[in-house]
Amino acid sequence: MSNTSYHYVASPEDGRRVLEQIEQQFRLSQDDLTRITSKFLEDFELGLSEYNHPMAMIPTFVTGVPDGTEIGTFLALDLGGTNLRVCEVELLGNKEFVLRQQKYKVSEQLKTGEASVLFDYLADSVDAFLTDFASAVPSSPTNEQVNPFGSPPLSEEPAVPLGLTFSFPVEQTALNRGRILTWTKGFSAKNAVGNDVVQLLQDAFNRKHLHVRCVALVNDTVGALLSRAYTSGGCILGSIFGTGTNGAYVERVDNIKKLGESEARQKGGFMVINTEWGAFNNTRSVLPSTPYDNKLDRQSINPRLQAFEKCISGMYLGEITRNILLSLVDAAPKPLLFNGRSSDVLDTHYGLDTAVMSEVEEAWESGRVPAVSGKDAEHAQILPNGSTAEVPDWQAVKVVDVEQLSEEDVARLERIRGIVIQRLSLDPENVSLRDAAIVRWASSLVANRAAKLSGCAVAAVLVQTGRAKLGGGFATDEEKIGVGVDGSLIQFYPNFQARLRDSLRDLVGEEVEKKVDIGLAKDGSGVGAALCALQATKQGH
C-alpha cells in the first residue's frame, strides 16, 4: 500500500518531533468535544425536520419501550449476512427471558436468485424452527386482552407475532412496513428492491400456510434499546459500538417535524428515532482529520461517507493504526519503527485487526491498579495503603522512553513485544522494546479518540432529551438514565467505556454522568426484535 505521510527524520530530535505531531493530531480538547456535540445537536434538529440528510433520524414508529413486566412468547427472524437466525423469546415478566434460537445457512444462490425463492426459504426456516426447536404452543401476550391478529380463514389457531431484523437499507413508513432501498453484503436478490420487505415475508408465510404474522420491522440499534429496557426496567438510548456504530433514542413526537400532519404526529407522545449517527459530519467540518484518516477514507468503498463511523468503529481503528505505524516504518533517512522493516500483515489493507490493538492494550493494563474516577482524581490511582499517586498520561510520547519506565511497565512491554512479533509477523530482531512502546502508544491514541468521540454522541442524546445541559450544571429527577450498549469495542476493548465516561463527564458534568447507567443490551437483533413484536401488538398493528 502507498505511504500515508512522509516523515523526514535525520536525528533523535526529529523523531521525537514526529511522534509529538502525531500525538497532537489525535488529541481532543474539551472545546473540541463541546463543538462536536453542539454540531450533533444541530444535525439532530435538521434530520428531525427534513428527510434526505446524512444524519437520517429515521422514525421507527415504535412508540413505547418495555419495562420488564411484559409476558408472552414471540418470534424473531434476523437476516443480515451469511446466516439467518430464528429465535423464540419467552418473556417471563420479571425482567428475564428464555431464548431458543437456531441458525440457517443462506447460500450464494439464494442471495442472488429470485426474491420469492429467498423469502420462501426464510418461511421454511421459521417452519422448521417451530417444528423442531420452539416450545409446543407459542402464546400470545398475556397482558393483552386479545391477540389482535386473526388467523387465516378456516382456522381457529392464532397467528404468532414475529419481529424481523433486516440489516439492509430500507425506507420505513410504519412499524410493519419498509421498502427495500438496496441490497448490501453480497445480496442481490431480484425483484426485491422497491418492495415492502414485511409484505414479501408475509406473502411467503401465507404461501406456506404458516400461522405467523410479521408485525414489526426492526433495526438492530432499536433492538438494543428495547432489549436493555426490558432487562433493566427502562432505557432512553440504545447504541452500538462495535464493527460499526449507531444509536437509537426515545424522542418527543412533537419534535419530529418531518412527519408533518400525519396520524403518527397527531397522536403525540414519544417515538424511537434511529439516528444513523455513523454518517454524522461527513464534511468533517468539526470531526478531527489526520493524514491517516484521509488515507483510510480515500481507499474505502464509500469515500466521504460515514465519517463518524470511520473515526470510532472497530472496522476502522486497526486500519488507522496501521497507517500510523507504516508512516513510522517509512520515515527517512532514519526509520522510527521496526528498523524500517514491514511485513505482509502491515502491508495488507485492513491487515491490522482492531483486536490486536485490544490485545496490546490489555497486556499494558494487566495488573495495573485502576485509576480513580472523577475530574479531581483524573491522574490519580489508589495505592494499597489507600493513598493516591499520579497516573502518567499513557497517550503521551514520553511513555515510549523505555528507560524512564518502572520494572513492571518494562515487563508489560516485553509481553507486548511478543504480541507484536506474533500478530504482525515481524522478525524478532527488528522489534525493540521501544517499538513495542510505540505500537502501544499509537493504539491508545486511536482508541482514546474513538471513545471520546463516542461520548459526544451519548452526551448529545442526553441534551436532546432534556436530561442534561452542555457544560453541566443540570440533572433530572430520574434516579438513573438507562443506556443500552452492544458491540465488541464497548464490551471488550480495555478502558473504552471509562474513556467514554470521561468524555461524557467533561461535556455534561459529573452530576448527570453519575446517573447514566450504561449496561449491555442482550441480543438486540434477536430479543430486541421479539420485543418489537410485543410493542406492535400493543400498538394494534
Side-chain angles (χ1 to χ4, degrees), residues 139-157:
S139 62
S140 58
T142 58
N143 59 347
E144 299 291 329
Q145 293 298 315
V146 182
N147 188 319
F149 306 109
S151 53
L154 306 179
S155 172
E156 295 300 319
E157 184 181 351

Side-chain angles (χ1 to χ4, degrees), residues 21 37 130 143 164 175 201 257 260 280 297 330 433 472 496 503:
Q21 287 171 350
T37 308
L130 288 172
N143 59 347
L164 170 64
L175 185 52
L201 182 59
K257 296 176 183 176
F280 167 65
D297 184 54
D330 291 338
L433 280 184
F496 191 89
S503 174

Side-chain angles (χ1 to χ4, degrees), residues 68-72 90-98 230:
T69 63
E70 294 80 2
I71 298 174
E90 183 182 355
L91 305 174
L92 304 179
N94 57 355
K95 301 181 182 178
E96 295 181 358
F97 59 83
V98 176
Y230 183 81

Side-chain angles (χ1 to χ4, degrees), residues 59 65 77 82 103 105 135 173 196 211 234 290 292 326 374 435 439 444 451 456 459:
V65 297
L77 178 62
T82 304
K103 289 184 178 179
K105 185 81 171 177
S135 59
T173 55
D196 179 2
H211 301 319
T290 70
Y292 316 102
L326 275 183
D435 291 337
V439 173
S444 189
C456 292

Side-chain angles (χ1 to χ4, degrees), residues 5 48 69 75 111 207 210 390 470 478 529:
S5 179
L48 290 170
T69 63
L75 294 177
K111 292 179 183 179
R207 284 194 294 272
L210 288 179
E390 289 297 307
L470 203 50
E478 296 168 286

Side-chain angles (χ1 to χ4, degrees), residues 215-391:
V215 296
L217 178 61
V218 193
N219 169 275
D220 59 354
T221 312
V222 176
L225 191 160
L226 298 178
S227 173
R228 182 61 186 171
Y230 183 81
T231 58
S232 68
C235 185
I236 66 145
L237 168 64
S239 46
I240 308 293
F241 298 108
T243 305
T245 186
N246 192 14
Y249 74 99
V250 182
E251 177 63 270
R252 289 185 179 277
V253 173
D254 286 347
N255 292 334
I256 314 173
K257 296 176 183 176
K258 64 185 179 185
L259 290 177
E261 298 304 315
S262 66
E263 181 182 353
R265 185 136 188 259
Q266 289 175 5
K267 284 183 178 178
F270 295 87
M271 182 183 292
V272 176
I273 291 291
N274 168 21
T275 66
E276 292 293 338
W277 70 32
F280 167 65
N281 199 221
N282 284 338
T283 61
R284 292 188 185 264
S285 61
V286 295
L287 281 178
S289 186
T290 70
Y292 316 102
D293 296 294
N294 290 341
K295 182 190 177 195
L296 179 148
D297 184 54
R298 185 175 66 254
Q299 295 180 336
S300 70
I301 61 172
N302 54 351
R304 300 190 179 279
L305 298 175
Q306 296 298 104
F308 189 63
E309 185 164 79
K310 287 172 179 171
C311 286
I312 74 169
S313 71
M315 180 174 179
Y316 301 106
L317 300 187
E319 181 66 2
I320 297 170
T321 303
R322 186 184 76 91
N323 287 340
I324 295 173
L325 300 184
L326 275 183
S327 76
L328 300 177
V329 168
D330 291 338
K334 293 181 182 295
L336 288 174
L337 196 62
F338 306 145
N339 287 330
R341 303 295 198 275
S342 188
S343 67
D344 287 345
V345 173
L346 274 177
D347 289 340
T348 300
H349 199 203
Y350 290 96
L352 175 56
D353 196 285
T354 303
V356 177
M357 298 168 58
S358 181
E359 194 175 352
V360 165
E361 292 221 60
E362 182 66 40
W364 181 251
E365 295 297 333
S366 179
R368 195 182 300 284
V369 179
V372 176
S373 61
K375 288 191 71 65
D376 293 338
E378 186 176 355
H379 299 296
Q381 82 179 22
I382 303 173
L383 298 178
N385 63 5
S387 63
T388 61
E390 289 297 307
V391 174

